[in-house]
């Protein structure tokens, strides 16, 4: 009983009984509990930072300033510290300079994560609806890169019609097959249930709306329930464009009439001051 191995065995058996009777936690559980507590504490630090970014985004406020440590986002954090947010105050005053979670890279990462959460929620709503239509249009970003904006139109559980944007996809080619492949790959990435696809909304260009080899034809061949609709908003924009164009033509025509009157008046030596007008 006085041997070392016997005393160790008794100690281990005693600890085992305490753990099995839930009087104490095992070393692994204690380490896991400490890690879980640290994770929860770190999440509390991120809450005011993330909510400040969301506030700027939902109110159309510029997050970044001229310097990496300036701007509306940093001003909001200082405001929250000033008005008693103890968790944020402790974090900013005690953390390492490279672990503040307020740099522009972290801001962009948090914005991206928020976008992923919103996109997942929209996809769940679409997949729970009876059917949906797919909307797509080509556009260029500020760097001149061609991309495809993808949206959905559906009826949610409370019955109103909803139209939501779900993301951009970079186009590798502007041919119909490449655009159709990009659209199908994007909706597969987002997780949309294509068995519920009943409509396609594109513009009227031949690449998108072509009846033989257009994007809508390629997608409709794979998803027979889908029906193509020429985007009504683009038609309306074209109508207003033509109307504005006619008004510009009228202004140009009136301008030339005045110029002709001036030339005729000068020919006959009549000075009536039209040029000043």
């Amino acid at each position: 009983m006085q041997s070392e191995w016997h005393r160790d065995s008794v100690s281990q058996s005693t600890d085992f009984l305490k753990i099995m009777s839930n009087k104490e936690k095992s070393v692994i559980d204690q380490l896991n509990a400490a890690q879980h507590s640290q994770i929860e504490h770190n999440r509390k630090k991120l809450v005011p930072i993330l909510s400040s970014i969301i506030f700027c985004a939902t109110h159309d406020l510029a997050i970044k300033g001229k310097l990496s440590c300036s701007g509306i986002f940093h001003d909001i954090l200082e405001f929250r510290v000033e008005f008693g947010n103890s968790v944020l105050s402790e974090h900013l005053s005690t953390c390492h300079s490279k672990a503040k979670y307020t740099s522009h890279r972290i801001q962009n990462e948090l914005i991206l994560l928020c976008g992923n959460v919103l996109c997942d929620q929209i996809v769940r709503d679409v997949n729970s609806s009876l059917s949906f239509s797919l909307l797509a249009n080509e556009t260029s970003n500020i760097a001149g890169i061609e991309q495809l904006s993808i949206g959905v139109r559906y009826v949610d559980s409370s019955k109103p019609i909803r139209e939501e944007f779900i993301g951009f996809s970079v186009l590798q080619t502007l041919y119909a097959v490449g655009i159709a492949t990009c659209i199908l790959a994007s909706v597969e990435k987002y997780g949309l249930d294509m068995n519920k696809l009943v409509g396609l909304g594109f513009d009227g260009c031949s690449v998108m709306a072509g009846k033989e080899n257009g994007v809508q034809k390629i997608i409709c061949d794979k998803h027979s329930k889908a029906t193509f609709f020429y985007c009504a908003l683009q038609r309306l924009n074209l109508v207003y464009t033509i109307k504005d164009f006619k008004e510009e033509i009228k202004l140009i025509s009136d301008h030339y009439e005045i110029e002709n009157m001036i030339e005729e008046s000068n020919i006959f030596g009549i000075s009536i001051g039209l040029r000043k007008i």
Side-chain angles (χ1 to χ4, degrees):
M1 292 181 65
Q2 299 300 322
S3 62
E4 184 176 354
W5 66 267
H6 181 77
R7 291 197 300 270
D8 290 342
S9 298
V10 171
S11 177
Q12 291 177 9
S13 62
T14 303
D15 293 339
F16 175 76
L17 291 174
K18 289 181 179 179
I19 292 171
M20 296 304 295
S21 61
N22 292 325
K23 293 181 179 180
E24 290 184 1
K25 292 184 178 181
S26 65
V27 175
I28 295 177
D29 289 338
Q30 291 178 15
L31 292 175
N32 289 338
Q35 184 180 16
H36 181 72
S37 176
Q38 185 64 39
I39 291 173
E40 290 297 323
H41 186 62
N42 290 337
R43 285 178 177 175
K44 289 180 180 179
K45 296 177 182 178
L46 278 175
V47 168
I49 296 174
L50 180 59
S51 62
S52 299
I53 292 176
I54 294 175
F55 177 84
C56 292
T58 54
H59 289 79
D60 295 328
L61 299 175
I63 295 178
K64 302 172 186 175
K66 293 183 178 180
L67 301 176
S68 60
C69 59
S70 64
I72 296 176
F73 168 68
H74 288 276
D75 292 342
I76 292 176
L77 294 182
E78 292 178 1
F79 178 81
R80 301 183 79 153
V81 169
E82 183 179 351
F83 279 83
N85 192 316
S86 58
V87 175
L88 180 61
S89 177
E90 178 188 359
H91 167 62
L92 295 178
S93 60
T94 60
C95 69
H96 191 273
S97 60
K98 294 183 178 180
K100 287 186 175 182
Y101 307 115
T102 59
S103 67
H104 64 278
R105 291 186 180 87
I106 298 298
Q107 294 172 24
N108 292 337
E109 186 175 349
L110 291 175
I111 292 171
L112 180 62
L113 292 173
C114 289
N116 292 339
V117 171
L118 290 175
C119 183
D120 291 342
Q121 181 61 51
I122 292 171
V123 170
R124 284 196 296 270
D125 292 341
V126 173
N127 290 340
S128 63
S129 64
L130 294 177
S131 59
F132 72 94
S133 295
L134 192 63
L135 311 175
N137 193 22
E138 302 148 278
T139 183
S140 299
N141 62 15
I142 194 172
I145 298 175
E146 288 289 338
Q147 55 188 7
L148 201 68
S149 62
I150 299 176
V152 287
R153 185 176 174 87
Y154 63 100
V155 179
D156 64 9
S157 57
S158 56
K159 302 306 180 184
I161 298 175
R162 293 182 58 183
E163 188 172 311
E164 300 287 353
F165 167 77
I166 57 175
F168 286 110
S169 295
V170 177
L171 288 173
Q172 303 298 331
T173 175
L174 297 180
Y175 295 108
V177 175
I179 296 175
T181 302
C182 180
I183 293 174
L184 294 174
S186 297
V187 296
E188 182 180 356
K189 179 186 70 174
Y190 295 132
L192 290 171
D193 185 1
M194 296 298 283
N195 293 322
K196 295 184 177 182
L197 178 66
V198 297
L200 299 172
F202 307 143
D203 59 32
C205 69
S206 59
V207 174
M208 302 297 290
K211 295 182 179 180
E212 299 297 332
N213 298 308
V215 173
Q216 63 92 10
K217 174 64 175 175
I218 296 172
I219 297 178
C220 287
D221 287 343
K222 293 186 177 182
H223 304 281
S224 57
K225 295 180 183 179
T227 303
F228 169 66
F229 294 92
Y230 183 6
C231 179
L233 287 178
Q234 195 200 33
R235 285 184 175 182
L236 183 62
N237 287 334
L238 291 176
V239 170
Y240 277 107
T241 301
I242 294 173
K243 179 182 176 183
D244 295 339
F245 184 62
K246 287 182 177 179
E247 291 179 355
E248 290 178 2
I249 291 176
K250 185 176 183 302
L251 289 173
I252 293 172
S253 176
D254 293 342
H255 173 73
Y256 276 110
E257 288 181 3
I258 293 175
E259 288 292 331
N260 290 334
M261 290 174 60
I262 294 173
E263 291 179 2
E264 291 176 0
S265 64
N266 288 335
I267 290 174
F268 290 101
I270 301 173
S271 178
I272 57 176
L274 285 177
R275 289 190 179 275
K276 293 182 179 179
I277 296 174

